[in-house]
């Protein structure tokens, strides 16, 4: 395969499966000896990652890079939008925050300005890799946003990449979605839509084939595969209340607790929750049950409560107080029952917050569970720290404006511990296997549970297994010869126009 080929994976809707299909194609290609990179021109997500050069990108693109067995870089996700409310987002360009914009301000002009740097990133990847597999966002048929599009057909048309549209048949209406998506595109965009990929199919595929034949007759476009519904494949989701590995562990019949007890983990579902993937490694442990909660009574039987990261620490604090969760956390701490705060959650557990940056709320009291004072700085900390805790090696990454001044307690990573309350800015620390086992051992002891961590759980190996499963789905259920031809040769010629097309 010569350099510069590629493909855009679009979707009929958000959450149709674009991220996992892109990862699956990357893993299939790299197993064929192809040097491949993922790309998403613009991502909107509160789940982000820090690359080795200190750039912030979407976690989905970091996962796709792992699927491609390459190091993630800012080139793979040049624009990241991090919502701060229903109406505004922080704009991260090439891994660094460049400002806060309303949706109207972004789509009214700023987005168009970003097309040139986005295309420059894509071109650099094309010059470096044999193939670039691009992921779209939402639907390519968002007709109100087409003129400023830098992630769907705007990318495909500029790069002359073929487009495969993914539809989630589990939701129903997939034929209408495929047809309608195509029929709402301009003729120049329709020329690039090579065909479709059905995702999450349950049952006998022969019952689906008449519909696929009719779709071909209606659109002149073929279906490149029908991927079966596969449980436990939600790896590094972009947003929403999902735990990537939890499904796989919960469904497993071969991973009972090693000790006599299970360990129950409750994660406070704070507003603007970010990097909830931090708890994936806990959910991957046999005998650990993870759930998201939003009521104080749901903390009563929890052995560990996690206050996760958030894009709005002050807003999260107010939410914890309004819901009665703050009082429940204070009671837990007084009783010596385990609590872990990560990033924004760590800040909320402190004594005092001075925020003139994120919420502009000024001085706000924290929950007072840790001797920490936090001041929000204009510059964001983006780092990949390495350290030791509980006698074990720990890797992590940091994404925060808050600067913590620790005034006591036992050192714990960059934060501290007081009794059974731990706090740190480090995301991803629980993916370090030895540290996770040591931490869960202490949690079980403090909770009075006869829980024993499995001695051989490797989170990295589990993630690799998941990525291989994605590659297997593509290899076994998609027409890989046809996909290969698209990537190498571009969109087919002579594809018919489907009326009415995009409105003028």
């Amino acid at each position: 395969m010569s350099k510069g080929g590629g493909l855009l994976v679009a979707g009929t809707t958000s959450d149709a499966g674009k991220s996992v299909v892109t990862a699956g194609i990357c893993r299939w290609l790299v197993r064929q000896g192809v040097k491949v990179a993922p790309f998403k021109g613009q991502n909107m997500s509160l789940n982000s990652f820090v690359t080795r050069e200190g750039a912030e990108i979407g976690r989905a693109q970091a996962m796709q890079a792992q699927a491609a067995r390459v190091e993630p870089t800012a080139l793979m996700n040049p624009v990241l939008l991090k919502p701060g409310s229903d109406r505004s987002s922080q704009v991260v360009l090439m891994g660094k925050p460049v400002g806060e914009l309303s949706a109207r301000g972004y789509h009214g002009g700023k987005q168009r300005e970003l097309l040139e740097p986005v295309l420059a990133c894509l071109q650099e990847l094309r010059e470096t890799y044999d193939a670039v597999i691009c992921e779209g966002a939402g639907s390519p048929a968002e007709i109100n946003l087409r003129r400023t599009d830098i992630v769907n057909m705007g990318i495909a048309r500029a790069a002359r990449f073929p487009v495969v549209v993914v539809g989630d048949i589990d939701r129903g209406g997939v034929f209408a979605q495929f047809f309608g998506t195509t029929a709402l595109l301009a003729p120049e965009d329709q020329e690039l839509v090579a065909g479709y990929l059905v995702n999450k199919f349950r049952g006998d595929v022969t019952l689906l084939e008449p519909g696929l034949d009719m779709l071909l007759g209606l659109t002149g476009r073929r279906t490149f595969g029908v991927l079966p519904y596969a449980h436990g494949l939600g790896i590094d989701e972009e947003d929403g209340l999902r735990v990537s590995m939890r499904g796989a562990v919960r469904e497993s019949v071969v991973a009972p607790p090693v000790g006599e007890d299970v360990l129950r983990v409750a994660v406070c579902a704070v507003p603007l929750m970010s990097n909830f993937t931090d708890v994936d490694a806990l959910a991957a442990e046999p005998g650990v049950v993870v759930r998201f909660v939003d009521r104080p009574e749901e903390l009563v039987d929890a052995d560990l409560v996690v206050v996760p990261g958030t894009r709005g620490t002050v807003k999260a604090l107010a939410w914890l107080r309004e819901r009665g969760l703050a009082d429940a956390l204070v009671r837990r701490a007084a009783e010596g029952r385990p609590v872990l705060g990560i990033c924004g959650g760590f800040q909320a557990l402190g004594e005092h917050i001075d925020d003139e940056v994120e919420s502009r709320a000024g001085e706000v009291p924290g929950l007072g569970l840790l001797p920490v004072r936090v001041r929000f700085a204009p510059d964001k900390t983006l780092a990949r720290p390495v350290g030791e805790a509980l006698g074990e090696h720990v890797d992590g990454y940091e994404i925060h404006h808050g600067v913590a001044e620790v005034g006591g307690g036992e050192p714990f990573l960059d934060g501290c511990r007081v009794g059974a309350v731990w706090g740190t800015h480090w995301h991803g620390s629980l993916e370090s296997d030895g540290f996770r086992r040591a931490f869960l051992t202490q949690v079980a002891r403090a909770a009075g549970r006869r829980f024993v961590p499995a001695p051989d759980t490797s989170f990295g190996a589990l993630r690799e297994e998941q990525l291989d499963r994605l590659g297997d789905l593509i290899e076994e259920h998609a027409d890989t010869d046809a996909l290969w031809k698209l990537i190498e040769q571009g969109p087919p010629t002579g594809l018919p126009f489907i009326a009415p097309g995009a409105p003028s």
Side-chain angles (χ1 to χ4, degrees):
M1 183 176 287
S2 58
K3 279 185 168 42
L7 179 74
L8 175 73
V9 178
T12 57
T13 62
S14 294
D15 203 31
K18 296 182 295 291
S19 294
V20 293
V21 167
T22 300
I25 293 175
C26 285
R27 178 50 61 100
W28 160 64
L29 282 172
V30 78
R31 293 196 306 208
Q32 309 309 308
V34 176
K35 186 180 180 185
V36 58
F39 178 79
K40 186 163 185 172
Q42 171 200 292
N43 197 351
M44 178 174 279
S45 179
L46 288 172
N47 274 342
S48 58
F49 181 76
V50 179
T51 67
R52 292 203 182 279
E53 70 266 30
E56 184 179 9
I57 67 172
R59 271 203 72 110
Q61 279 60 67
M63 175 271 292
Q64 290 161 358
Q66 186 175 350
R69 296 181 180 145
V70 296
E71 190 66 34
T73 74
L75 293 172
M76 298 170 184
N77 180 207
V79 179
L80 174 64
L81 305 179
K82 303 193 73 176
S85 70
D86 291 340
R87 293 172 176 254
S88 68
S89 294
Q90 182 181 67
V91 181
V92 179
L93 176 62
M94 291 305 295
K96 305 295 180 185
V98 294
E100 196 92 12
L101 278 180
S102 67
R104 180 177 293 275
Y106 183 71
H107 291 288
K110 183 65 176 177
Q111 188 177 31
R112 194 178 302 173
E113 296 173 15
L114 296 173
L115 180 59
E116 185 176 341
V118 166
L119 291 178
C121 290
L122 176 57
Q123 183 59 30
E124 187 169 341
L125 290 175
R126 294 182 74 180
E127 292 170 358
T128 306
Y129 292 88
D130 301 330
V132 181
I133 307 302
C134 305
E135 179 190 345
S139 162
E142 305 289 359
I143 54 179
N144 56 316
L145 304 177
R146 175 61 185 92
R147 67 185 180 87
T148 58
D149 172 46
I150 64 171
V151 65
N152 288 306
M153 301 312 297
I155 288 290
R157 198 191 292 192
R160 298 302 301 170
F161 274 178
V163 178
V164 173
V165 182
V166 178
D168 179 357
I169 197 170
D170 198 50
R171 296 180 173 188
V174 75
F175 294 116
Q177 292 169 24
F178 284 145
F179 183 88
T181 297
T182 310
L184 279 178
L185 298 178
E188 297 85 354
D189 290 342
Q190 287 195 25
E191 291 175 0
L192 303 175
V193 177
Y196 313 108
L197 193 66
V198 175
N199 191 29
K200 299 183 183 177
F201 179 73
R202 305 172 193 252
D204 184 350
V205 73
T206 61
L207 300 177
L208 188 66
E209 287 170 354
L212 301 179
D213 292 339
M214 285 186 273
L215 184 66
L216 174 62
L218 288 166
T219 67
R221 289 158 175 86
R222 56 167 301 185
T223 298
F224 290 98
V226 177
L227 306 184
Y229 194 104
H231 295 279
L233 286 180
I235 304 174
D236 287 4
E237 301 282 354
E238 290 187 347
D239 269 312
L241 292 182
R242 295 176 179 84
V243 184
S244 305
M245 302 294 292
R246 179 173 60 175
V249 173
R250 185 177 61 235
E251 293 154 7
S252 173
V253 295
V254 295
V258 175
E260 297 179 45
D261 287 343
V262 298
L263 205 65
R264 297 172 176 83
V265 179
V267 184
C268 296
V270 296
L272 299 174
M273 182 167 52
S274 62
N275 289 73
F276 56 81
T277 47
D278 281 332
V279 299
D280 288 1
L282 295 179
E285 282 285 347
V288 175
V289 180
V290 178
R291 67 181 188 272
F292 289 95
V293 303
D294 59 5
R295 297 180 299 183
E297 55 268 29
E298 294 177 295
L299 304 189
V300 173
D301 68 342
D303 302 307
L304 169 67
V305 174
V306 177
V307 188
T310 171
R311 172 85 164 85
T313 302
V314 170
K315 182 180 288 189
L317 260 173
W319 181 87
L320 289 169
R321 289 185 166 116
E322 290 165 4
R323 295 274 178 149
L325 288 160
D327 290 339
L329 289 168
V330 170
R331 286 195 298 273
R332 284 187 68 90
E335 295 165 359
R337 303 179 67 200
V339 176
L340 171 65
I342 302 173
C343 200
F346 164 46
Q347 297 166 5
L349 299 182
E351 298 171 343
H352 178 86
I353 292 172
D354 185 0
D355 180 12
E356 297 292 350
V357 175
E358 193 172 76
S359 68
R360 294 183 171 83
E363 298 189 0
V364 177
L367 298 185
L369 304 186
L370 292 173
V372 175
R373 299 177 71 84
V374 176
R375 174 184 56 81
F376 276 69
D379 293 332
K380 182 185 285 191
T381 296
L382 296 169
R384 289 277 292 268
V386 176
E388 185 176 299
L390 308 182
E392 298 287 345
H393 175 86
V394 187
D395 292 297
Y397 59 99
E398 295 183 70
I399 307 169
H400 54 91
H401 282 280
V403 179
E405 179 186 331
V406 180
E410 300 175 40
F412 179 69
L413 301 176
D414 69 331
C416 64
R417 170 188 181 179
V418 174
V421 180
W422 292 267
T424 176
H425 272 131
W426 290 24
H427 294 290
S429 62
L430 294 166
E431 295 180 19
S432 298
D433 298 326
F435 167 71
R436 183 181 64 254
R437 285 191 276 270
F439 176 71
L440 290 177
T441 297
Q442 294 211 10
V443 166
R445 186 180 302 126
R449 291 284 184 188
R450 290 172 293 183
F451 169 84
V452 178
D456 54 357
T457 300
S458 167
F459 184 74
L462 286 171
R463 174 164 288 173
E464 276 295 303
E465 288 176 14
Q466 298 282 56
L467 294 172
D468 275 331
R469 287 181 65 198
L470 293 179
D472 292 343
L473 282 175
I474 298 298
E475 193 164 335
E476 295 168 11
H477 300 282
D479 186 340
T480 52
D481 288 341
L483 291 177
W484 187 283
K485 184 176 179 181
L486 286 179
I487 293 166
E488 264 200 316
Q489 300 180 15
T493 58
L495 294 170
F497 171 71
I498 309 301
S504 57

